[in-house]
Amino acid sequence: MKKILIIGASGLIGRHLYKVLSKKNFVIGTANKKKKSLVYLDLSDNINEWPQITALDVIILCGGITNIFNCEKNKKYSRLVNINGLKKIKIGRAHV
């Protein structure tokens, strides 16, 4: 059994991965909105505000801003979430 973190488990792909992988693995899902079965994690937040989740075997990133029009309209925030969020995951691998 693997310990898997799915960042963005409330989205279309993340939700389906969470459902399928949970059958044979210990899966922790995150969302940027408070949901009952998911851990709150906003990629735009400072990494020190992220939850402490350790001893992971796999991290799957499904979170981010996916609407291209929103990305074009708000480039700074899109970069913060889609690029810097990924960098924070890489840097904070032991922290996440």
Side-chain angles (χ1 to χ4, degrees), residues 37-69:
S37 62
L38 302 176
V39 175
Y40 176 78
L41 189 149
D42 188 333
L43 291 171
S44 67
D45 287 346
N46 184 301
I47 196 169
N48 295 325
E49 298 173 27
W50 287 12
Q52 293 275 340
I53 302 169
T54 58
L56 295 168
D57 296 304
V58 179
I59 298 174
I60 301 172
L61 177 61
C62 296
I65 300 171
T66 58
N67 183 309
I68 192 69
F69 297 111

Side-chain angles (χ1 to χ4, degrees), residues 6-15 29-32 38 60-64:
I6 301 176
I7 298 172
S10 62
L12 180 66
I13 295 171
R15 184 178 25 200
T30 73
N32 68 341
L38 302 176
I60 301 172
L61 177 61
C62 296

